[in-house]
Amino acid sequence: MCGIVGYVGEEQATPVLLNALKKLEYRGYDSAGIAVLDSGRLTVRKAKGRLRVLEEKIATEVIRGHIGIGHTRWATHGEPSDVNSHPQTDVSGKIAVVHNGIIENYAKLKAWLESNGVEFRSETDTEVIAHLVNFNYNGDLLAAVIETIKKLEGSYAIGVICGNEPDRIVAARKDSPLVIGKGVHENLLASDVPALLEYTQDVYYLDDREIAVLYADRTEFYDDYGARREKQSVRVEWDISAAEKNGFEHFMRKEIHEQPAALANTLRTRIKTYAAKSINLEEIGFSPDWAKAGRVVITACGTAWHAGVVGKYVFEHFARVPVDVDIASEYRYREPILNPHDIFIIISQSGETADTLAAMRMAKTAGAKILAITNVVGSTLAREADLVMYTRAGPEIAVASTKAFTTQLVCLYLLAFQFGLLRGTISPERLETLIRELESLPDKAREILREESGIQRFAARQFNKDKVFFMGRLFDYAISLESALKLKEISYAHSEAFAAGELKHGPIALVDKGTLVVALCTQSALFDKMESNIKQVKARGASVLVLTYRDEERFNGSADAIFRIPRVPDELTPVLSVIPCQLFAYYCAIQRGHDPDKPRNLAKSVTVE
Ligand code: G6P
């Protein structure tokens, strides 16, 4: 997904822009560019490929100037190429624009501009914005941007500079994130906080339809009619080391290893320890009314949807409330039946996924109550939901989500337990036991991580398999879905998940000697069934890896290898059983020679459809 940066201040802008863009590489991109102003003269440099290519391109020249904008582009309109990269400029060559999002009416605007004599150079929707700003420019860049965004339909986060006004950057957003960093004698602009942390921890989250004007010594905020607004900065608690690799070779492995601390962070303050242990959701504004819901609807995409599948089983089991779990892109386009007593749990690591936000807005318009589970403070989801439960996982940089997922699960457990208590399906005594189990998860996750080398060795033997199937029942089925996704995302091995009971309804037709079957076996009441599924795939030549409890002897001898996890109640295993599978995916990617942090064709944050 595209990344935007901007700088105005005492330093030379070019190195700051390149450095900040590097911190946004995790978002996924296929080209990059910068535009820098020096005494009104605009220099634009762009290159297809990784940032390194752009750096090499400008290595021999000095691009001076204390103000500039930069961009990493993930192609949507027009192929990845130098000319389609951002910044895009207007016909006068004075105005430069970086843009994240999609302008839905760009074809109409382009036709209109062409009928007024404008010649387009790129295939991008963004070039329309540059020409419109020029068309509306009358000596005031802010006024020109305000006029321009009135014409735009779709989503945008933009940064605009103009040679006639070399002291300011004008930025605006709608449905696409933008953060402003408040420095000393400098101010910065970025799509995401990690790009700013080396310079400042004080940020302003720009609201939808809000405009920011950045000068070296201040930032002014306006609504889309041009009226001034006051805005408070927020202190980001992450520091720069949290957004960097800290000695790990890859962000993904670092983030897998951060899970014990992240899980503890999610639980922190949410458990009352005086007298009897109970759950404290006051901080999120949770009131007992929420637990009276007739139905819970969970909506999300990708890994967050898999958390939702676990959530369905958790809520139904502990709180005895009916749950629908929906993929957001499906939900938004069918005709879902909404009831006034439904509550919506919307799960999104980034809080910016386009389909997830659209589903949330549909539910909101229909009058439903929205509870968001997200990792990003100030994200669009967080700002638009009625209640927000932050996962507190810290920045997740690797595209493949790991710690965001397990912390989402912990949030769902806390909520389901509280629902259960309020609905009378969990007694206070049982709640105490369950809370103790939740509190044991960080240590148990740590124990699994200590056995990483066993998983690494197994991956070294199995990484070349043509097909990898993950199968399980109930909670193990949900984690099979997530594990298969993880493996295909970063190793590009063909991997699928299915409910083990479905084996005979299709998947078994594909099982042969070249197949690895990972059988997740933590649902004790269904061990017999799993054993017979394992026999069926072994009989067809598959290699079998079983994942079960450390003290469970049942599967000894029935598999080629066994991963073991510490025992917890069967309903709590997802938080632990996914960890070996994350590591397995990671090591398969390494063995296959792929960079797990930058999987091909994938983006961390999917802010367009
Ligand atoms: C992309 C990411 C996934 C993520 C999904 C949903 O596909 O690569 O890791 O699970 O988007 O993102 P969200 O930010 O809404 O959780």
Side-chain angles (χ1 to χ4, degrees):
M1 202 55 41
C2 306
I4 288 178
V5 298
Y7 177 83
V8 51
E10 289 181 339
E11 300 295 322
Q12 286 296 330
T14 304
V16 179
L17 294 173
L18 291 171
N19 188 34
L21 284 176
K22 278 185 198 145
K23 300 291 188 308
L24 296 182
E25 282 193 291
Y26 70 89
R27 295 166 70 87
Y29 69 103
D30 45 43
S31 58
I34 55 166
V36 176
L37 275 176
D38 188 22
S39 313
R41 198 174 63 88
L42 188 68
T43 306
V44 181
R45 293 290 179 270
K46 314 193 279 190
K48 180 183 164 187
R50 305 209 68 82
L51 264 174
R52 193 170 15 88
V53 182
L54 176 67
E55 282 180 310
E56 281 162 14
K57 195 169 179 175
I58 61 177
T60 51
E61 57 178 328
V62 181
I63 302 173
R64 303 192 77 68
H66 296 272
I67 175 167
I69 50 179
H71 192 261
T72 43
R73 173 173 186 257
W74 195 65
T76 54
H77 290 74
E79 55 169 20
S81 68
D82 289 5
V83 70
N84 285 337
S85 312
H86 301 200
Q88 290 291 326
T89 49
D90 73 317
V91 279
S92 74
K94 286 243 169 226
I95 291 162
V97 177
V98 286
H99 165 224
N100 184 5
I102 288 185
I103 305 304
E104 285 165 7
N105 60 338
Y106 96 101
K108 216 164 89 189
L109 294 170
K110 184 171 177 176
W112 181 82
L113 284 159
E114 281 174 333
S115 72
N116 280 281
V118 174
E119 271 181 40
F120 277 75
R121 288 150 296 184
S122 78
E123 300 161 89
T124 64
D125 50 346
T126 306
E127 194 180 339
V128 162
I129 306 176
H131 295 309
L132 278 178
V133 172
N134 175 49
F135 187 85
N136 291 316
Y137 189 73
N138 241 330
D140 180 351
L141 185 62
L142 172 61
V145 169
I146 290 174
E147 274 315 298
T148 299
I149 58 179
K150 281 184 191 154
K151 303 282 184 310
L152 305 181
E153 288 167 22
S155 62
Y156 56 82
I158 54 172
V160 189
I161 52 174
C162 172
N164 297 344
E165 304 180 31
D167 62 339
R168 60 178 184 167
I169 305 172
V170 179
R173 68 157 274 179
K174 179 180 163 274
D175 297 338
S176 199
L178 213 47
V179 196
I180 283 118
K182 180 184 172 192
V184 181
H185 309 304
E186 60 184 11
N187 285 299
L188 298 100
L189 176 71
S191 305
D192 203 353
V193 171
L196 304 174
L197 287 177
E198 199 169 319
Y199 307 94
T200 179
Q201 281 175 256
D202 294 317
V203 305
Y204 301 97
Y205 293 101
L206 207 62
D207 282 324
D208 257 357
R209 299 178 188 281
E210 200 170 31
I211 296 155
V213 185
L214 290 78
Y215 300 86
D217 61 350
R218 67 190 188 284
T219 300
E220 294 171 355
F221 297 93
Y222 297 86
D223 67 17
D224 55 353
Y225 293 101
R228 270 295 277 278
R229 273 186 176 180
E230 285 312 307
K231 207 170 170 72
Q232 293 302 314
S233 62
V234 181
R235 181 115 186 124
V236 177
E237 294 307 332
W238 312 341
D239 60 11
I240 185 68
S241 71
E244 288 183 346
K245 285 187 202 155
N246 268 354
F248 285 92
E249 321 77 305
H250 297 104
F251 281 115
M252 184 179 177
R253 183 160 169 259
K254 171 178 175 262
E255 288 159 9
I256 291 172
H257 277 261
E258 283 172 345
Q259 289 178 109
L263 295 170
N265 238 344
T266 312
L267 289 169
R268 188 166 300 136
T269 72
R270 289 169 176 159
I271 290 172
K272 285 187 196 158
T273 44
Y274 49 85
K277 277 186 188 279
S278 60
I279 289 170
N280 176 16
L281 297 178
E282 283 156 25
E283 152 241 1
I284 70 163
F286 183 89
S287 77
D289 272 1
W290 283 74
K292 292 184 188 145
R295 179 176 64 151
V296 173
V297 180
I298 305 180
T299 315
C301 299
T303 287
W305 175 68
H306 296 154
V309 177
V310 176
K312 174 180 170 69
Y313 290 16
V314 174
F315 268 83
E316 288 180 352
H317 180 83
F318 290 105
R320 307 300 299 144
V321 58
V323 180
D324 282 352
V325 57
D326 256 292
I327 294 171
S329 57
E330 286 293 302
Y331 185 84
R332 68 181 288 194
Y333 290 119
R334 58 184 175 79
E335 292 173 61
I337 298 163
L338 290 162
N339 296 310
H341 300 301
D342 292 343
I343 63 153
F344 275 71
I345 299 182
I346 312 277
I347 312 172
S348 172
Q349 180 280 130
S350 62
E352 301 292 351
T353 302
D355 284 321
T356 306
L357 292 178
M360 185 251 312
R361 287 172 183 151
M362 259 175 79
K364 210 172 168 182
T365 308
K369 294 205 275 190
I370 313 284
L371 192 158
I373 297 179
T374 183
N375 195 35
V376 180
V377 177
S379 59
T380 306
L381 176 60
R383 281 184 283 114
E384 294 188 18
D386 298 299
L387 300 185
V388 186
M389 191 165 187
Y390 287 112
T391 45
R392 301 181 184 155
E396 192 179 69
I397 307 296
V399 170
S401 185
T402 54
K403 61 177 179 169
F405 175 71
T406 44
T407 54
Q408 285 163 357
L409 297 184
V410 168
C411 288
L412 288 162
Y413 283 110
L414 287 166
L415 287 167
F417 293 170
Q418 190 65 355
F419 267 63
L421 182 80
L422 293 165
R423 294 168 74 90
T425 54
I426 297 181
S427 67
E429 297 73 35
R430 172 124 167 84
L431 180 66
E432 273 213 81
T433 315
L434 288 168
I435 289 176
R436 278 181 217 288
E437 293 289 354
L438 275 187
E439 288 179 316
S440 77
L441 291 174
D443 281 341
K444 288 178 176 165
R446 212 166 273 123
E447 288 174 37
I448 296 171
L449 291 168
R450 274 191 220 116
E451 287 161 25
E452 183 177 9
S453 58
I455 297 163
Q456 185 177 9
R457 279 197 301 278
F458 184 77
R461 291 204 305 275
Q462 299 285 344
F463 73 94
N464 254 337
K465 281 282 179 313
D466 310 335
K467 285 170 282 186
V468 184
F469 293 149
F470 289 81
M471 65 175 183
R473 292 165 184 260
L474 306 180
F475 291 88
D476 287 336
Y477 166 53
I479 294 307
S480 296
L481 290 168
E482 173 57 10
S483 304
L485 176 71
K486 219 74 310 165
L487 185 65
K488 70 166 76 107
E489 276 181 318
I490 58 169
S491 79
Y492 318 139
H494 182 102
S495 62
E496 296 294 337
F498 52 89
E502 285 289 292
L503 178 63
K504 285 202 171 122
H505 299 291
I508 200 162
L510 294 173
V511 175
D512 58 21
K513 277 207 295 256
T515 313
L516 170 66
V517 176
V518 181
L520 284 86
C521 302
T522 70
Q523 304 300 296
S524 311
L526 296 168
F527 278 171
D528 286 349
K529 311 273 177 206
M530 287 306 296
E531 231 178 351
S532 110
N533 290 142
I534 291 167
K535 281 191 183 130
Q536 287 156 19
V537 295
K538 275 209 82 80
R540 282 153 186 90
S543 305
V544 176
L545 166 68
V546 161
L547 189 148
T548 191
Y549 295 116
R550 185 179 292 155
D551 55 0
E552 181 56 62
E553 291 177 5
R554 177 73 176 257
F555 298 95
N556 293 357
S558 63
D560 298 273
I562 303 190
F563 287 170
R564 297 189 178 276
I565 61 168
R567 193 170 279 277
V568 280
D570 291 354
E571 300 79 21
L572 262 61
T573 52
V575 180
L576 299 181
S577 58
V578 76
I579 298 175
C581 298
Q582 295 167 343
L583 287 166
F584 179 62
Y586 172 81
Y587 282 111
C588 284
I590 301 289
Q591 289 286 343
R592 286 173 161 241
H594 304 307
D595 179 348
D597 284 347
K598 300 192 184 81
R600 68 185 182 205
N601 306 338
L602 295 178
K604 179 74 185 163
S605 179
V606 184
T607 55
V608 292
E609 276 189 72

